[in-house]
Amino acid sequence: LRAAYAPTLLNPATGVIAGWKSADGQLHDYWFTYVQGMAVTFGLLDDPTANRVMDRLLAKMREVGYTNFSIGLPGNLVPVKKGDYVHENHAPEATGEPRLDDGSDGFQFYENGGATGCWAYYTVKALYRLGRAEDARRIFHPMLFGYAAGRFQGFDPKSGRSLDWRDWQGGGHGYEGLLVDNYHALLAVIEDAKAMKP
């Protein structure tokens, strides 16, 4: 798996790991934050490659302007195109399912770029694993504040939707109400403690 992973999924156009490669050989790369984190966390990339991937990911986050870490991380940093999304004829703001071919109308809603604590652990853990505690803390410490403030559960009075998935300004776009995956990132407290200087 290690030998095949980067040669198969590392996108030379972006410098990050694609979400998948279809049967036609095309890479489907939406700058998935958790995919990069998992690849690094589970040792599927050597450290030089892992650091380059994380450099690119953090640079892309800055480029697209995502900074609201107190509500978690977007699953992807660019819109998922209509052709790559499951179609159930929901409104874009309900499930992120786009009506436009470029996916822009569904972006930041639910699993099409919505912010969440779900799977954010792996991005944070990857940074700690690489010895990049300051980069990890820029994401993780605001998340800890968000946990303390109760920002990962409940419902948005404006949208009526739950806060376990949010747009980048903080509006609720989930439906679960209390999604336990949101709390997985708290495991990174152990990594944060290990990285503290005596």
Side-chain angles (χ1 to χ4, degrees), residues 173-196:
H173 294 280
Y175 69 89
E176 287 89 352
L178 176 63
L179 186 59
V180 295
D181 306 25
N182 259 308
Y183 299 90
H184 185 220
L186 288 170
L187 290 175
V189 166
I190 296 165
E191 306 305 319
D192 193 59
K194 287 179 188 174
M196 286 183 184

Side-chain angles (χ1 to χ4, degrees), residues 4-198:
Y5 198 82
T8 303
L9 293 171
L10 186 61
N11 186 349
T14 62
V16 297
I17 301 295
W20 72 96
K21 189 175 198 174
S22 51
D24 62 5
Q26 181 182 354
L27 290 173
H28 298 259
D29 181 0
Y30 295 103
W31 292 87
F32 293 107
T33 55
Y34 63 95
V35 169
Q36 316 315 309
M38 285 182 171
V40 175
T41 295
F42 294 119
L44 296 174
L45 306 174
D46 61 46
D47 284 357
T49 304
N51 274 298
R52 285 192 299 273
V53 163
M54 296 311 286
D55 286 344
R56 295 290 298 129
L57 184 69
L58 295 177
K60 186 67 171 182
M61 238 181 270
R62 287 190 297 272
E63 179 189 317
V64 299
Y66 187 78
T67 58
N68 197 359
F69 300 119
S70 69
I71 59 172
L73 285 174
N76 48 290
L77 299 176
V78 298
V80 175
K81 294 177 185 173
K82 183 177 180 179
D84 281 342
Y85 217 83
V86 173
H87 299 288
E88 298 177 350
N89 294 317
H90 294 287
E93 62 276 5
T95 63
E97 178 184 341
R99 294 190 175 130
L100 299 175
D101 287 338
D102 70 358
S104 59
D105 58 328
F107 189 53
Q108 296 186 24
F109 301 134
Y110 195 55
E111 293 190 13
N112 191 352
T116 182
C118 300
W119 305 107
Y121 167 74
Y122 292 105
T123 305
V124 173
K125 165 79 172 177
L127 291 166
Y128 282 119
R129 183 183 175 277
L130 293 169
R132 299 172 64 160
E134 291 311 309
D135 286 332
R137 288 175 178 141
R138 275 191 282 279
I139 296 168
F140 187 51
H141 285 188
M143 284 185 72
L144 289 174
F145 177 82
Y147 286 118
R151 293 185 179 164
F152 291 91
Q153 75 262 356
F155 289 84
D156 182 341
K158 289 183 183 176
S159 70
R161 300 191 65 86
S162 64
L163 299 173
D164 37 22
W165 293 90
R166 296 169 174 252
D167 61 44
W168 295 5
Q169 292 72 45
H173 294 280
Y175 69 89
E176 287 89 352
L178 176 63
L179 186 59
V180 295
D181 306 25
N182 259 308
Y183 299 90
H184 185 220
L186 288 170
L187 290 175
V189 166
I190 296 165
E191 306 305 319
D192 193 59
K194 287 179 188 174
M196 286 183 184
K197 292 179 181 175

